[in-house]
Amino acid sequence: MRDSTADNPDSLLSAPVDLFSISSRPHISMPADMATRPMILAAESLARAHHSQYDPSHDFHHVARVRSLSLSIANSLPTPPDLLVVNLAALFHDLLDRKYLPKEMIEVTAQDHLAGFWALWPGAISEERQRLVERVVENVSYTKEVKRIREGKQTDWHKTCLELHCVQDADKIDAIGAFGILRCAAYSAVSSRPLYLPANSGPTTSTSSSAIDHFREKLFSLHRMMKTAKGREIAERRTDYMHAFVAQVELEWKEVEEGNC
């Protein structure tokens, strides 16, 4: 029987990731074309080492979930994107996250940052695909996207690049729902942001006065920024869960405040 993947080796990159056993082995098991598999394993190692210094809100488990979601979304599209580019861009999507880099560090481009990595794998991926991976990495950020939209700088490429859309949707999806709640709490802890403050608690100096405020300021609106049908479906479901969670927090606070526990 003919192997159904013979005509499209990159389709093997869409195999599901076993997230439950990720911490027990050095690499995620991800079947791939023989020419690219060693490079993908090296990309995993690079991302794992980089994110080992981060808190649980942006650790390698976050990267693994985004990669799995990105590939799942990619495979749902009527016009298939470049799965190798989606795979690598998802693995590298947070390498340049400014909030975790030293403030005095000179900002570098994704091309500069990844030049050494590509040099280790001559011939494994074309320069054109390298540039696309780098471009996705530099444009996936929610903060940068909001700024581009506000300043009218969204180009046709931003609006049509399927590889970018897959990783953007996946990254936003991991910020909402049950994992989004966990990540919000984790980042609030490391940034000393209160989990909850009542309305009459007075002004604060933080950007978000509490973790719960962050839901209203950002997380509740992410589903409206989805670029793909599958991303929108998942995001809407997870947003409903967050609304129920915040409502429960408000209820429990009211019970405590009124002494009706």
Side-chain angles (χ1 to χ4, degrees), residues 18 21 34 58 60 71 75 86 93 95 109 118 123 133 172 182 192-194 198 214-215 229-230 254 257-258:
D18 179 4
S21 61
M34 291 300 291
H58 288 81
F60 185 71
L71 291 170
N75 282 309
V86 172
H93 82 276
L95 292 183
T109 66
W118 301 133
V133 169
K172 290 183 180 71
L182 290 171
S192 299
R193 177 171 62 186
H214 185 63
F215 286 83
K230 186 176 182 70
K254 184 177 181 181
E257 191 175 44
E258 296 178 353

Side-chain angles (χ1 to χ4, degrees), residues 98-117:
R98 289 298 302 173
K99 64 179 171 288
Y100 285 99
L101 299 177
K103 291 183 179 180
E104 66 276 8
M105 181 177 176
I106 298 175
E107 189 166 354
V108 298
T109 66
Q111 184 171 351
D112 291 335
H113 193 82
L114 292 171
F117 178 81

Side-chain angles (χ1 to χ4, degrees), residues 67-222:
R67 195 256 289 267
S68 185
L69 285 163
S70 297
L71 291 170
S72 179
I73 291 169
N75 282 309
S76 75
L77 298 177
T79 303
D82 187 327
L83 295 179
L84 177 59
V85 169
V86 172
N87 198 354
L88 291 170
L91 284 169
F92 295 152
H93 82 276
D94 265 346
L95 292 183
L96 302 178
D97 192 330
R98 289 298 302 173
K99 64 179 171 288
Y100 285 99
L101 299 177
K103 291 183 179 180
E104 66 276 8
M105 181 177 176
I106 298 175
E107 189 166 354
V108 298
T109 66
Q111 184 171 351
D112 291 335
H113 193 82
L114 292 171
F117 178 81
W118 301 133
L120 297 174
W121 303 99
I125 179 173
S126 68
E127 288 191 15
E128 180 182 6
R129 292 169 103 183
Q130 290 175 22
R131 299 294 87 77
L132 182 53
V133 169
E134 294 158 359
R135 195 173 185 186
V136 170
V137 169
E138 290 193 334
N139 286 275
V140 73
S141 162
Y142 163 85
T143 302
K144 290 182 178 180
E145 181 182 7
V146 170
K147 182 180 180 181
R148 284 195 304 269
I149 293 172
R150 184 175 63 247
E151 297 177 353
K153 295 181 179 179
Q154 283 279 85
T155 67
D156 287 341
W157 179 82
H158 291 108
K159 298 174 183 178
T160 61
C161 179
L162 298 180
E163 292 81 10
L164 173 65
H165 295 173
C166 291
V167 184
Q168 280 183 319
D169 279 11
D171 193 33
K172 290 183 180 71
I173 287 170
D174 201 53
I176 59 181
F179 271 110
I181 292 169
L182 290 171
R183 293 182 64 215
C184 181
Y187 187 74
S188 295
V190 298
S191 60
S192 299
R193 177 171 62 186
L195 296 179
Y196 180 84
L197 289 174
N200 60 355
S201 61
T204 66
T205 58
S206 60
T207 302
S208 294
S209 56
S210 74
I212 290 299
D213 289 324
H214 185 63
F215 286 83
R216 301 186 181 95
E217 294 163 356
K218 175 182 177 181
L219 303 185
F220 283 160
S221 66
L222 291 183

